[in-house]
Amino acid sequence: MTHFDVCYFIKPISLSKRLVIIPTYNEKENIADIITAVFSLSIDFHILIVDDGSPDGTAQIVKTLQINNKDRLFLLERKGKLGLGTAYIAGFRWGLLKEYDHICEMDADFSHNPKDLIRLYKACQKSGVGMAVGSRYTKGGKLENWPWDRVFLSYGASLYVRTITWMNVKDPTAGFVCYTRKALESIDLNKIRFVGYAFQIEMKYAVHSLGYQIVEIPITFKDRVKGDSKMNSNIISEAALGVIKMRWQRLFNNYNITTVSPDIKSEKTSS
């Protein structure tokens, strides 16, 4: 058994059943602050950082912080920039093996307010709910510091997705979410094909197609202050074409799974 195998299968010592997955690539300006903010919440959350070989030393900062947080701060290091979707899939598999009851997604750049994690978690306590979405476009949701063209693109994408998929989710591209363990365990993660912007859409579509309720919690989404945006034209193109492909494939396949079969080949973990 390798060092990776030993680290990967040891379960967290703390009794927390809530995990926040934060994917990173060159987030040295934000990573320490976002970790501190999550650990300062009134409800205990563990954090899993999934770092795609950041050349700016993001992973090393996390390792330093692990010295005083070894039972609640974890790190998956991957070789190269492999995409947002695969980072979250790796995190989901890790979290399910560790038996977390709720698994959240959150950006590292403070566009998502860590305090809203509590609201997302509590929304998932209701019977039948499989996913809570931090929504910019539900009643009470807001955007701050976004240029008008980006607002137009984002809101237009949401309308487009709702039209194609028939999902009653006002913010289907949102990346600030909380899943229940039951919902994630029901999804065959090997069938999630998209790695960029479309990944968020496909995960909601999977939860929806398996019959779970998706609730939207209004949030204020702020543009990042530090670091560079990861959005690019390839990600947008994947989303536009991917939604149609996803809807078509749904006619012949579903996302259901009866057993969980984790398979992480290109990462190493430290705790």
Side-chain angles (χ1 to χ4, degrees):
M1 182 175 287
T2 66
H3 172 70
F4 163 70
D5 293 326
V6 172
C7 288
Y8 187 69
F9 286 99
I10 293 177
K11 296 179 181 179
I13 296 174
S14 173
L15 296 177
S16 174
K17 290 296 183 179
R18 295 166 292 272
L19 177 69
V20 183
I21 302 171
I22 304 177
T24 57
Y25 185 78
N26 287 346
E27 291 288 356
K28 70 175 183 179
E29 296 172 298
N30 295 303
I31 194 61
D33 289 342
I34 198 71
I35 289 171
T36 299
V38 173
F39 286 158
S40 298
L41 297 175
S42 59
I43 292 180
D44 184 34
F45 287 87
H46 286 176
I47 299 175
L48 173 66
I49 305 296
V50 183
D51 186 72
D52 275 6
S54 297
D56 72 346
T58 297
Q60 187 55 51
I61 295 173
V62 176
K63 290 176 183 178
T64 300
L65 294 173
Q66 282 184 305
I67 295 173
N68 294 321
N69 297 283
K70 60 183 179 181
D71 295 331
R72 58 178 181 167
L73 176 59
F74 307 94
L75 173 67
L76 272 177
E77 293 184 87
R78 309 199 306 166
K79 297 178 180 179
K81 197 172 182 181
L82 303 177
L84 179 74
T86 62
Y88 276 127
I89 293 295
F92 294 158
R93 296 187 191 282
W94 190 95
L96 290 172
L97 276 179
K98 304 291 185 174
E99 299 184 357
Y100 287 97
D101 290 335
H102 294 84
I103 299 179
C104 303
E105 300 178 9
M106 188 175 73
D107 290 347
D109 60 7
F110 283 95
S111 55
H112 302 145
N113 187 338
K115 293 179 180 179
D116 289 328
L117 283 168
I118 296 175
R119 297 168 59 223
L120 292 175
Y121 163 68
K122 289 183 176 180
C124 281
Q125 305 304 299
K126 298 177 182 178
S127 177
V129 173
M131 183 183 197
V133 176
S135 178
R136 298 162 290 184
Y137 304 127
T138 196
K139 184 177 180 180
K142 298 177 182 178
L143 289 165
E144 284 190 5
N145 303 324
W146 270 33
W148 70 267
D149 56 339
R150 191 174 175 189
V151 174
F152 180 80
L153 178 63
S154 176
Y155 190 71
S158 297
L159 291 176
Y160 170 73
V161 171
R162 292 169 63 190
T163 300
I164 299 296
T165 64
W166 299 354
M167 281 195 301
N168 187 26
V169 178
K170 293 182 175 63
D171 197 353
T173 63
F176 192 22
V177 302
C178 180
Y179 300 89
T180 65
R181 176 182 181 84
K182 185 176 181 181
L184 272 183
E185 280 187 325
S186 300
I187 300 171
D188 186 345
L189 296 175
N190 292 319
K191 293 180 180 178
I192 303 298
R193 300 302 182 191
F194 300 109
V195 299
Y197 200 55
F199 166 80
Q200 301 293 0
I201 302 168
E202 188 173 17
M203 283 301 299
K204 294 176 186 66
Y205 190 62
V207 172
H208 168 76
S209 67
L210 292 175
Y212 292 98
Q213 182 183 356
I214 300 175
V215 296
E216 293 187 84
I217 305 301
I219 64 165
T220 297
F221 185 98
K222 298 180 179 180
D223 200 9
R224 68 161 61 230
V225 175
K226 300 177 181 178
D228 298 320
S229 173
K230 310 303 188 296
M231 184 64 67
N232 58 54
S233 58
N234 290 333
I235 291 175
I236 296 172
S237 297
E238 180 201 44
L241 299 175
V243 171
I244 297 175
K245 183 178 180 181
M246 182 181 69
R247 188 73 173 91
W248 172 255
Q249 290 178 337
R250 177 68 179 85
L251 299 176
F252 308 99
N253 300 290
N254 61 51
Y255 291 98
N256 191 48
I257 190 172
T258 56
T259 59
V260 178
S261 54
D263 179 22
I264 301 178
K265 298 180 180 178
S266 61
E267 303 86 12
K268 62 179 180 177
T269 185
S270 61
S271 59

